[in-house]
Amino acid sequence: DSGVTQTPKHLITATGQRVTLRCSPRSGDLSVYWYQQSLDQGLQFLIQYYNGEERAKGNILERFSAQQFPDLHSELNLSSLELGDSALYFCASSGTGSETQYFGPGTRLLVL
Amino acid sequence: EDQVTQSPEALRLQEGESSSLNCSYTVSGLRGLFWYRQDPGKGPEFLFTLYSAGEEKEKERLKATLTKKESFLHITAPKPEDSATYLCAVQRNFGNEKLTFGTGTRLTIIP
């Protein structure tokens, strides 16, 4: 158990809908990262938050957004969903001064 | 742009048959090279971080090594429970702290 929690585990929705994925980092970790894993692309970095502020952006679509709250949990919002958004979404966290990212169990999103 | 290439894509070994997985990388200033293990439908589990060429780290039947261009994950006398996908990732020295991942090696250990 990495100490990173994610909810829900599974999500099934329809095209055009909006969903919110939630992540709680390890106790004391200020950085939260979001990654998308699809069958054909592997793990791709989406976005990083540090202590409530956006720190870095990767290949994140404009339809996707994220935020980190004062209690350090983070949410990833996916809107106008398309079939191609079906994937595993992982959250990871790291502590200040540590490079190692610890991953949560993921949310499996299926868009029908 | 940072790149990570892992080979082979898949590897089947008999229980007890040792082998190595390869991770070739290009990055502008390496901060760290990471190995993770991922079971189907689960999140990546951290194994090792390597920082500089010549460094080696060991954990049970696994040993990771690093050169300036590649890393190897050596598995000695594997057991069926070592079956998983092994992922390699790099993090650059300055700027974005993201991990750039390879596509992994799917390892199957046959009893």
Side-chain angles (χ1 to χ4, degrees):
Chain A
D1 185 355
S2 67
V4 179
T5 60
Q6 290 187 247
T7 57
K9 284 192 173 181
H10 304 278
L11 205 45
I12 302 175
T13 188
T15 55
Q17 295 298 304
R18 172 190 169 94
V19 297
T20 297
L21 314 183
R22 182 189 169 103
C23 166
S24 292
R26 296 186 319 155
S27 178
D29 284 358
L30 299 182
S31 276
V32 169
Y33 309 79
W34 286 97
Y35 291 84
Q36 178 192 57
Q37 187 175 40
S38 53
L39 281 174
D40 57 344
Q41 292 232 342
L43 271 158
Q44 299 285 320
F45 169 73
L46 296 177
I47 196 163
Q48 178 199 358
Y49 276 80
Y50 178 81
N51 201 21
E53 300 289 326
E54 182 185 303
R55 176 165 274 195
K57 258 185 175 178
N59 302 322
I60 187 166
L61 301 171
E62 284 192 17
R63 301 182 285 109
F64 296 0
S65 65
Q67 52 185 328
Q68 187 179 26
F69 295 86
D71 67 353
L72 300 178
H73 91 271
S74 178
E75 293 181 355
L76 180 67
N77 302 296
L78 315 177
S79 61
S80 304
L81 285 166
E82 302 176 358
L83 296 178
D85 297 327
S86 296
L88 273 164
Y89 290 84
F90 291 105
C91 163
S93 74
S94 67
T96 304
S98 170
E99 304 84 7
T100 302
Q101 296 179 21
Y102 294 90
F103 283 76
T107 294
R108 181 178 294 277
L109 173 67
L110 181 59
V111 182
L112 300 175
Chain B
E1 188 179 327
D2 304 338
Q3 281 200 316
V4 178
T5 304
Q6 291 187 248
S7 62
E9 283 187 21
L11 183 61
R12 289 170 63 90
L13 299 173
Q14 292 291 328
E15 183 173 359
E17 181 185 359
S18 302
S19 189
S20 296
L21 314 182
N22 177 263
C23 170
S24 298
Y25 66 92
T26 55
V27 62
S28 299
L30 179 71
R31 186 179 187 197
L33 184 140
F34 302 82
W35 283 97
Y36 287 85
R37 169 196 168 123
Q38 187 175 27
D39 292 301
K42 303 285 179 67
E45 176 190 341
F46 171 72
L47 294 174
F48 303 109
T49 308
L50 301 167
Y51 295 98
S52 56
E55 190 175 1
E56 298 184 354
K57 287 195 177 170
E58 283 189 68
K59 180 180 179 180
E60 296 180 1
R61 295 176 293 282
L62 298 176
K63 183 167 86 170
T65 62
L66 181 65
T67 73
K68 287 188 178 178
K69 292 185 180 179
E70 54 192 351
S71 177
F72 294 92
L73 185 65
H74 308 277
I75 181 160
T76 302
K79 299 181 177 182
E81 53 262 41
D82 295 321
S83 298
T85 296
Y86 290 85
L87 299 168
C88 172
V90 296
Q91 186 182 59
R92 59 169 55 187
N93 225 343
F94 300 103
N96 198 324
E97 294 165 15
K98 70 171 185 176
L99 295 178
T100 299
F101 281 88
T103 51
T105 292
R106 189 172 66 253
L107 178 64
T108 304
I109 308 301
I110 305 160

